[in-house]
Amino acid sequence: MKIEGYQGTNNIYGDQAAKFTKNTQLAASKNQTNKNSTEESTSIELSERAQQIMQGQVEPEIDLKKVASLKSAINSGNYKISADDIAKRMMAQVDMQKED
């Protein structure tokens, strides 16, 4: 049994490696182009209230007693999640947004 090594420019593995390298470079170039165009077109608008909170002008409204009771229920394993309640609240939120 004879095993032959590198055959010069006719090596199919060398050709595949060259194609892979070229395709990888093209893909990287396309990704960089897409990244640049995405960065240029992305914008975020915050509500006035959100801007005030971010600047520290207004404290967000947090019910510390409710937070403490939820933490306690979660830690003790007594916090029950109702999929129906979550779905109802999500749909109510969607309905409110439609009205605006």
Side-chain angles (χ1 to χ4, degrees):
M1 176 176 184
K2 182 176 179 182
I3 299 174
E4 296 184 24
Y6 179 71
Q7 298 291 321
T9 58
N10 294 331
N11 183 344
I12 61 168
Y13 299 111
D15 292 342
Q16 289 176 346
K19 287 178 185 176
F20 176 76
T21 302
K22 183 178 178 181
N23 290 340
T24 303
Q25 290 171 344
L26 288 172
S29 174
K30 287 180 182 178
N31 285 340
Q32 185 63 34
T33 302
N34 290 340
K35 183 179 176 185
N36 290 340
S37 64
T38 302
E39 288 174 355
E40 293 171 3
S41 65
T42 303
S43 66
I44 298 173
E45 293 183 32
L46 297 176
S47 68
E48 184 177 334
R49 174 113 171 112
Q51 289 174 5
Q52 290 172 346
I53 291 170
M54 293 290 291
Q55 294 171 357
Q57 297 173 351
V58 176
E59 290 294 320
E61 298 169 9
I62 300 173
D63 185 350
L64 296 178
K65 289 181 184 179
K66 187 172 184 177
V67 170
S69 68
L70 288 171
K71 280 184 178 181
S72 175
I74 291 169
N75 289 333
S76 67
N78 294 325
Y79 184 71
K80 304 293 183 214
I81 299 172
S82 169
D84 289 335
D85 288 343
I86 293 171
K88 287 176 187 173
R89 289 181 184 177
M90 288 174 67
M91 294 310 295
Q93 185 70 27
V94 169
D95 290 340
M96 285 177 25
Q97 290 176 352
K98 285 181 183 178
E99 292 174 3
D100 291 338

